[in-house]
Amino acid sequence: MPACIIDHITITASDLISGAAYVKRVLGVEPQAGGEHARMGTHNMFVRLGPELFLEVIAPNPNATRPARPRWFALDTLMPVSQPRLSNWVVRTTDIQAAIGQTQENLGNIEAMSRGGNHWLITIPEDGSLPLQGIAPALIEWHTVAHPATGMHDQGMSLLKLELLHPDTTRVSQLMQELKVEGNIEIKPVLTGLAPQLIAYIMTPFGLRILS
């Protein structure tokens, strides 16, 4: 099975304006406009983190028809007062069927998605939840000529490390091994009873910044 590589990290927000403001406050840069996901009733913005790596800000689209199914990335659980946060991450593979077949962890169903001229397959739980509360990545298989990050503005940002905090580090480590995940990832324990957490260390033109 081919390796899975960190593709993007995702900040979820109750609205795109607050999500973009959070990125500006923490990283010091304005995310660029993205597009709409008609099937999910969502829209997004981006910050390039490398030639084939980016940060996504995603939120419900108030101008879109609410989908008949739950939105992805647990967006339907957010309230207007919910604060934007780094809630999940995505790894890419050239064979999503093989990748999902290598793990017993339920990452969701493989679904076809699109945004503008970009098309891809991605794993989405039927109830829209985040597997392992966002510690387990979604799988993506791009069907594009070039990775979307190649067309994003280069603002001098790079992802140095992604920390995965979870009470069951053995379970998380096994999942990473099953998916053959490549990238600078560190798995750390979080005390039982505390919520799992993602922490991203990002180098910016203004120094090291941390998203959590």
Side-chain angles (χ1 to χ4, degrees):
M1 191 193 81
C4 291
I5 302 169
I6 301 177
D7 188 81
H8 61 279
I9 58 177
T10 301
I11 291 174
T12 51
S14 58
D15 64 88
L16 212 51
I17 293 176
S18 66
Y22 171 71
V23 170
K24 173 65 174 178
R25 184 171 68 253
V26 178
L27 299 184
V29 298
E30 298 276 0
Q32 70 179 78
E36 301 180 1
H37 313 100
R39 282 192 59 202
M40 288 292 167
T42 58
H43 55 174
N44 62 6
M45 301 181 78
F46 303 112
V47 174
R48 188 179 190 265
L49 298 177
E52 296 184 325
L53 182 61
F54 61 93
L55 177 151
E56 174 186 37
V57 183
I58 190 167
N61 184 353
N63 298 318
T65 301
R66 186 183 180 93
R69 56 162 295 159
R71 293 183 178 95
W72 51 3
F73 303 134
L75 287 171
D76 288 335
T77 66
L78 300 182
M79 304 295 290
V81 296
S82 298
Q83 295 298 306
R85 70 182 186 95
L86 179 63
S87 63
N88 55 284
W89 58 304
V90 181
V91 297
R92 70 176 175 274
T93 175
T94 56
D95 192 337
I96 195 169
Q97 291 281 358
I100 201 171
Q102 289 299 308
T103 180
Q104 297 298 311
E105 204 68 57
N106 183 9
L107 302 180
N109 300 321
I110 299 173
E111 300 199 29
M113 296 294 297
S114 64
R115 178 184 58 81
N118 292 321
H119 301 270
W120 64 92
L121 299 176
I122 190 169
T123 54
I124 308 173
E126 290 184 3
D127 62 359
S129 62
L130 297 172
L132 291 186
Q133 294 178 266
I135 300 303
L139 304 176
I140 194 168
E141 180 184 315
W142 289 105
H143 292 175
T144 55
V145 175
H147 190 276
T150 60
M152 298 176 189
H153 305 317
D154 187 352
Q155 301 183 78
M157 318 289 285
S158 61
L159 177 66
L160 300 183
K161 181 175 69 171
L162 185 64
E163 288 184 348
L164 315 179
L165 279 64
H166 193 276
D168 192 344
T169 56
T170 300
R171 181 179 178 182
V172 176
S173 296
Q174 180 177 339
L175 175 61
M176 297 302 105
Q177 293 171 7
E178 291 170 343
L179 296 178
K180 298 183 179 178
V181 176
E182 293 184 353
N184 192 4
I185 297 170
E186 187 172 353
I187 301 169
K188 290 184 174 182
V190 64
L191 295 178
T192 302
L194 295 182
Q197 185 180 13
L198 289 175
I199 301 176
Y201 294 80
I202 298 176
M203 184 56 69
T204 78
F206 319 104
L208 178 65
R209 300 292 174 90
I210 299 175
L211 287 172
S212 62

